Amino acid sequence: MATGSSTLDALDRRILHTLEISPRAPFARIAAVLDVSEQTVARRFQRMRAARFVRIAARPEAIYRTGASYWTLRIGCRPGTAMTLATALAQRGDTSWVSIGGGGAEVTCQAEVDDPQSGLLHHLPRASSVLAFSAHQMLHRFAGRGEADWVAPDHDLSAEQREFLLEGTPAPAPNPTGVGRFEATDRPLLDALSRDGRASWAAVAAATGWSQRQAAHRVNELAAAGAIYFHVDVATMPVGMHAVANLWFTVAPAHLASTGARLADHPQLAFVGAVTGSANLMASALATDAEALYQYITTKVAEIDSIQRVEIVPQMVRLKHSHSLVENGLIREPPAQ
C-alpha cells in the first residue's frame, strides 16, 4: 500500500483478514501464515491504522449483562432530519452501526439497552423528527466461519492457518459466570483496550497497575467468558466495497437456525442475527457494486428455499461502525464517554 493511497492491495487485505480471525495475533504469527516478514506485517498494519483504514477496539458485550439486551432500531425521519439524528446517535456510547439508508429517510442503528423505560426505546419514538419507529431485539448472532469481524477477504485461509492464528486464544463460552463477568475494577483495562485493542501487555499493565501476566490473564478470562469482544472496524471503500445494504429475511421458525447458520457462512455477509419482528433474520451485506449485490441475491440467497421474503435497504452513509466513528469514509476514534 503506497503512502497516501486510498485503496488497499491484496497483502493489506490478507493482513486484515487474519486480524478478523484473531484481532490480537502477534505480528510474527501473522507473518508466518502469510509467508512474509514480521517487519512487513507491522509496517503495513501501522500504515493502515495511521491512514484511518482500520481500528481495533474492545468493548463489553451488553447481551451478557444482567438485564441488558441488544436491539436494531429502524427510524423513519422527516425530510432533511436524518443526518442530524444519525450524527447524534453516533456520538452515544450505547450505539453502534449507525447508518442512513432507505433513500436518505431511514436511520438504522444498534443499541445496547439496560432499561427500556428510560433509554432510546423510550425516548426516540417521541422525537419530533421521527415519523416511524421499529425496534427489533437481537436474539442470537450466527458466528459463521469464525471471523471476529469481516472485510471481504480475497485470500481465504485454510483450517490449519486459522488454527495456528488462534493458538492459545480461549474459545468463548456461551454465557459468562463467576469471575468471567465484567467488573468495575476492570474499567481501566477496558479503557486501554477500547482505545487500542492491540495495546501491548506492558501498556495495559501500566494503565491498570497490574502485572503484565495479570493483565493478560484477565483479558483472556473476560474474552473466553464472552464478557468483552474485540472489534475490527475497517473502512469499507478502501477495500473496494461500495454497495452496503441491510437485508431483512423472513424465514419459517422451523428453518430459522439452519438458515441463519448457512447465511453466516456467505462471505458477502458481515453479520447475521436472529431478531424479533415480522422479518426474523437480519444481515449486513457488502459488495463491490450494485450489480455484485444483485448477483448475490439472485444466486446464493435464491438457492435457500427456506427464505420466504427479503427486504433490501441500501446504506447511503455510515456514521459509525461497532466502536468507531466514520468521517469522510475513514475510521475515527469516538469521543470519550
Side-chain angles (χ1 to χ4, degrees):
M1 181 181 70
T3 302
S5 173
S6 61
T7 60
L8 305 177
D9 64 19
L11 179 56
D12 294 325
R13 292 194 293 270
R14 294 179 71 194
I15 291 170
L16 291 175
H17 187 42
T18 62
L19 292 169
E20 294 154 12
I21 296 170
S22 183
R24 284 188 59 87
F27 289 139
R29 184 165 297 187
I30 295 173
V33 166
L34 301 182
D35 195 24
V36 295
S37 72
E38 180 180 354
Q39 292 77 11
T40 295
V41 173
R43 184 178 65 253
R44 291 274 187 139
F45 174 77
Q46 297 301 342
R47 192 181 296 163
M48 287 188 284
R49 184 184 176 198
R52 298 196 293 162
F53 290 158
V54 61
R55 180 171 177 264
I56 299 175
R59 65 183 298 171
E61 279 289 33
I63 197 170
Y64 293 135
R65 293 201 309 268
T66 302
S69 53
Y70 216 34
W71 296 72
T72 296
L73 311 182
R74 300 183 67 177
I75 310 157
C77 303
R78 294 185 182 280
T81 65
M83 180 59 74
T84 300
L85 177 61
T87 300
L89 288 171
Q91 298 294 321
R92 295 176 60 102
D94 58 354
T95 63
S96 58
W97 304 110
V98 181
S99 63
I100 299 174
E106 178 177 296
V107 174
T108 303
C109 76
Q110 298 215 2
E112 301 172 4
V113 176
D114 288 302
D115 181 4
Q117 300 303 314
S118 62
L120 285 175
L121 297 186
H122 177 74
H123 293 295
L124 262 180
R126 295 165 171 78
S128 60
S129 61
V130 174
L131 296 177
F133 179 85
S134 62
H136 310 265
Q137 185 176 359
M138 192 67 59
L139 303 177
H140 178 76
R141 176 181 177 176
F142 295 92
R145 302 177 303 164
E147 291 87 346
D149 283 293
W150 180 97
V151 64
D154 53 1
H155 293 277
D156 208 355
L157 302 180
S158 67
E160 292 76 16
Q161 288 173 318
R162 289 168 177 263
E163 184 177 351
F164 178 70
L165 278 172
L166 291 168
E167 186 177 323
T169 302
N175 292 290
T177 58
V179 294
R181 291 188 184 277
F182 183 73
E183 305 290 349
T185 53
D186 295 315
R187 174 54 60 184
L189 178 148
L190 187 64
D191 287 344
L193 292 175
S194 67
R195 291 189 297 270
D196 178 6
R198 287 186 59 85
S200 67
W201 292 128
V204 176
T208 59
W210 302 343
S211 69
Q212 293 187 39
R213 183 176 180 180
Q214 286 175 312
H217 175 75
R218 185 56 176 158
V219 168
N220 288 335
E221 191 172 53
L222 290 169
I228 63 171
Y229 184 82
F230 287 88
H231 295 263
V232 183
D233 285 339
V234 176
T236 54
M237 286 189 288
V239 295
M241 298 293 104
H242 300 283
V244 182
N246 290 329
L247 308 181
W248 297 86
F249 298 101
T250 302
V251 178
H255 303 291
L256 184 61
S258 60
T259 304
R262 185 172 176 182
L263 285 169
D265 281 335
H266 289 179
Q268 293 84 359
L269 298 183
F271 169 86
V272 181
V275 296
T276 59
S278 57
N280 48 10
L281 277 176
M282 182 257 182
S284 178
L286 294 92
T288 54
D289 52 29
E291 179 63 25
L293 180 61
Y294 169 79
Q295 292 294 332
Y296 168 64
I297 296 294
T298 56
T299 55
K300 299 192 72 173
V301 171
E303 292 173 353
I304 306 177
D305 294 335
S306 55
I307 295 178
Q308 302 169 350
R309 181 175 178 269
V310 58
E311 178 186 4
I312 307 169
V313 183
Q315 289 185 16
M316 297 177 61
V317 181
R318 177 173 286 175
L319 289 88
K320 190 177 187 181
H321 283 285
S322 63
H323 195 48
S324 307
L325 299 180
V326 181
E327 186 178 76
N328 297 322
L330 301 176
I331 301 299
R332 183 167 69 84
E333 185 173 340
Q337 300 295 324

